[in-house]
Amino acid sequence: MNRMRFEENMKIDRDYVLSLIEGAKDTTDEEIDRILEKAKDKKGLDHSEIAALLEITREDQAQKLFEIAGKIKRDVYGNRVVLFAPLYISDYCVNNCVYCGYKCKNKFKRRRLTMDEIRKEVEILEQMGHKRLALEAGEDPVNCPIDYVLESIKTIYDTYEKNGVIRRINVNIAATTVENYRKLKEAQIGTYILFQESYDEEVYRKMHPNCIKGDYDYHTTAFDRAMEGGIDDVGAGVLFGLADPKFEVLSLMLHNQHLEKKFGVGFHTISVPRLRPAEGVNLETFPNLVDDEMFKKIVAIIRLAVPYTGMILSTREDEEMRKFLLEYGISQVSAGSCTGVGGYEEAANGRNIDQFEKADERTPIEVITDLIDNGYIPSYCTACYRTGRTGEKFMSIAKSEKIHYMCKPNALTTLMEYAVDYGDEEFLKKAEKFVRDQAFTIDREDIREFTISNIQKLKDGQRD
Ligand code: SAM
């Protein structure tokens, strides 16, 4: 049984996490085999079991871990991959995060987008086919107050390009008050995303010297406040590379369990950002960088531990790593991203001003073509959010696995819509064949027929 280790408010019990790591050191091979077998039931894992899997070094056990993670991924998410793009609206920042190119110590001309500039960025994103954005901003109560963020959200939802609108805005802004979370909820955001950066309090303080973000307790309890403010989809993550990754993964799981016990639902998504080079950031000065092999295992272990929590991978990772992890756990990826303020217009003009270096520079259509070639259905679906299937409601449908009957036709329909609106003749032909082939694999006749009938409707110009 998992030990419940939380008071009303979120607090990581450091000694408990360290004891889990220590206790896992002499896990036997038989024990690892038993845990891997148990994971196949998709009921999650105990903390000590997660700690044990983090000790896997033997190649055959790692292979078995990937196999099971891959099977869970396919059972829960099928071959669908949700696509999104980040939109940076302001790089004003009062914080001094050691790892970040936006730290206030870095002197460059800061800016926040005007509403006209936001409209321009959104039009470019819409022309790329995006329907789902992650809004990003540095923390600055004066230059980037909540009212500005709310106005930006309204502007984004109200911006129409000839092929449609942004249908879901996830928001990644600094930890804030219950009142502000309530306002974000009223503004109809999708997921509220906040990375813990590190759960290790000592490392956290070192990484955030002399700044607002340095308040570990305030940051760690942000999701409690978000949920009190009515936001029921929250997206977590740690920045891998700052502290011991075993400590971080176990703490993420404790945090998730805390929210499940207190609010009835845990994380909607988990992101797995890994530290990248940035302005004034020298990776050689970080002693806990996570290598590729460990990173792959971490994603697979999280997949086993929380089978129904979406997992997000950004363009911080290269094409090869993205391809590998899509097979073993990741359900959402960003595509064609710019990680700088006004970045899409700048990129359109041939300049580049990113917050950190990306590793995958492909355009959305290149990513989509590659996904199709590898048998994945790129999805722009936002139906759950639009029909109120969020929080606990979403999780209970996801756990019944009936969600396939909604998600697959929706994903195929949005891919077909994308092909009609953005593809050239060759892409349209390729996508239509793929959508038809995939539709034929749907075992319920009514849903199969419905999906196939959508193809012609979309080609005739109908939209939902
Ligand atoms: N200002 C928001 C906050 O304080 O939570 C976050 C927005 S920031 C644009 C999004 C995330 O980028 C951060 O939470 C951090 O994890 C990540 N990030 C910052 N610097 C990075 C780097 N050098 N490499 C990779 N990710 C980085």
Side-chain angles (χ1 to χ4, degrees):
M1 273 294 284
N2 282 339
R3 283 155 68 191
M4 188 56 211
R5 279 276 157 172
F6 296 112
E7 307 301 326
E8 251 309 272
N9 258 331
M10 164 68 196
K11 180 90 191 154
I12 291 293
D13 183 338
R14 184 183 170 81
D15 290 342
Y16 175 55
V17 179
L18 291 177
S19 75
L20 287 169
I21 296 171
E22 199 45 45
K25 291 248 156 75
D26 34 60
T27 307
T28 61
D29 292 344
E30 291 72 34
E31 182 61 0
I32 290 196
D33 285 343
R34 181 199 67 75
I35 298 167
L36 289 174
E37 276 307 305
K38 177 186 165 184
K40 288 182 180 169
D41 292 340
K42 289 176 276 189
K43 296 212 166 73
L45 298 172
D46 292 351
H47 304 149
S48 56
E49 293 168 339
I50 299 166
L53 294 188
L54 287 164
E55 294 300 323
I56 288 181
T57 48
R58 262 180 40 194
E59 187 51 31
D60 59 329
Q61 283 174 335
Q63 278 319 316
K64 195 161 174 209
L65 165 68
F66 292 132
E67 251 167 56
I68 296 167
K71 165 96 172 49
I72 293 175
K73 161 81 205 290
R74 288 189 296 279
D75 286 355
V76 177
Y77 299 91
N79 54 347
R80 303 178 300 280
V81 179
V82 169
L83 294 175
F84 74 98
L87 172 60
Y88 283 69
I89 57 168
S90 170
D91 55 22
Y92 284 104
C93 196
V94 293
N95 292 319
N96 239 328
C97 314
V98 173
Y99 49 82
C100 182
Y102 282 178
K103 63 171 87 98
C104 63
K105 229 166 65 183
N106 278 352
K107 298 296 169 211
F108 63 95
K109 195 164 161 23
R110 311 252 167 185
R111 65 186 284 218
R112 76 176 200 196
L113 298 178
T114 63
M115 292 307 132
D116 273 347
E117 287 170 331
I118 288 181
R119 259 176 236 113
K120 257 191 214 142
E121 290 283 282
V122 174
E123 277 164 15
I124 296 171
L125 283 156
E126 285 172 351
Q127 281 155 16
M128 290 157 100
H130 283 295
K131 307 281 182 236
R132 186 189 279 252
L133 298 185
L135 181 145
E136 312 274 344
E139 180 169 16
D140 187 328
V142 174
N143 291 301
C144 184
I146 191 72
D147 287 343
Y148 167 73
V149 174
L150 296 170
E151 196 189 351
S152 303
I153 292 169
K154 185 168 175 355
T155 301
I156 297 168
Y157 277 138
D158 286 348
T159 300
Y160 289 81
E161 200 269 337
K162 69 176 172 36
N163 290 325
V165 287
I166 297 302
R167 296 172 179 162
R168 177 180 175 126
I169 306 171
N170 298 331
V171 172
N172 180 5
I173 60 164
T176 185
T177 60
V178 174
E179 198 194 338
N180 286 347
Y181 286 125
R182 203 163 278 133
K183 290 179 181 170
L184 288 169
K185 174 72 186 172
E186 279 162 17
Q188 300 186 333
I189 67 163
T191 309
Y192 170 64
I193 297 170
L194 182 70
F195 300 158
Q196 175 59 33
E197 319 301 4
S198 176
Y199 283 98
D200 182 321
E201 197 165 345
E202 206 177 300
V203 172
Y204 186 91
R205 288 192 203 293
K206 268 195 210 143
M207 288 296 138
H208 306 98
N210 310 318
C211 58
I212 311 184
K213 192 165 167 179
D215 186 339
Y216 176 85
D217 290 332
Y218 189 72
H219 195 80
T220 317
T221 51
F223 288 156
D224 294 74
R225 293 191 299 283
M227 287 197 168
E228 273 167 49
I231 294 176
D232 50 4
D233 282 350
V234 297
V238 292
L239 182 54
F240 285 104
L242 303 185
D244 174 5
K246 294 177 188 171
F247 190 93
E248 305 290 30
V249 172
L250 288 163
S251 301
L252 259 174
M253 295 301 119
L254 289 166
H255 194 173
N256 184 57
Q257 187 194 38
H258 161 78
L259 294 175
E260 275 178 355
K261 298 241 170 176
K262 189 168 166 187
F263 297 100
V265 63
F267 303 144
H268 185 67
T269 54
I270 292 178
S271 299
V272 285
R274 242 190 333 173
L275 195 61
R276 295 283 302 155
E279 179 72 27
V281 178
N282 177 359
L283 293 199
E284 281 166 22
T285 60
F286 291 83
N288 288 298
L289 296 180
V290 175
D291 66 29
D292 286 355
E293 292 320 300
M294 185 63 181
F295 188 58
K296 289 174 182 171
K297 278 188 266 182
I298 286 171
V299 170
I301 292 167
I302 296 177
R303 185 68 300 142
L304 268 51
V306 282
Y308 299 95
T309 302
M311 283 183 79
I312 302 179
L313 196 66
S314 72
T315 52
R316 290 176 183 88
E317 299 300 329
D318 65 17
E319 195 179 327
E320 198 185 325
M321 182 59 85
R322 278 155 65 95
K323 198 167 177 170
F324 184 90
L325 293 181
L326 273 172
E327 214 173 312
Y328 303 112
I330 296 299
S331 54
Q332 292 191 28
V333 292
S334 49
S337 304
C338 288
T339 63
V341 176
Y344 295 97
E345 218 201 340
E346 295 283 344
N349 294 333
R351 276 171 291 156
N352 197 343
I353 45 159
D354 285 342
Q355 182 203 10
F356 48 78
E357 283 178 23
K358 291 169 300 189
D360 185 349
E361 301 276 359
R362 291 173 298 163
T363 62
I365 199 149
E366 286 167 343
V367 173
I368 287 173
T369 305
D370 189 42
L371 287 171
I372 293 175
D373 288 343
N374 285 288
Y376 291 107
I377 310 172
S379 173
Y380 283 110
C381 183
T382 53
C384 282
Y385 159 74
R386 291 193 294 156
T387 53
R389 279 193 300 269
T390 59
E392 211 180 340
K393 258 190 252 168
F394 169 82
M395 272 300 167
S396 59
I397 300 174
K399 285 181 185 170
S400 76
E401 290 185 17
K402 287 202 183 79
I403 202 145
H404 288 305
Y405 288 118
M406 300 178 216
C407 293
K408 189 157 184 170
N410 284 343
L412 289 171
T413 303
T414 59
L415 171 60
M416 193 61 210
E417 184 185 54
Y418 174 88
V420 171
D421 289 343
Y422 304 99
D424 57 16
E425 210 178 308
E426 190 189 341
F427 181 83
L428 182 59
K429 226 165 107 188
K430 181 190 190 87
E432 181 173 344
K433 179 177 181 321
F434 180 74
V435 170
R436 277 186 197 280
D437 290 350
Q438 287 290 320
F440 277 114
T441 67
I442 298 174
D443 58 11
R444 261 185 56 182
E445 195 187 343
D446 54 338
I447 296 178
R448 185 166 63 237
E449 292 306 319
F450 168 75
T451 310
I452 293 167
S453 70
N454 280 344
I455 297 176
Q456 196 51 48
K457 284 185 199 153
L458 286 162
K459 286 169 79 177
D460 292 342
Q462 280 189 45
R463 293 292 180 273
D464 89 310

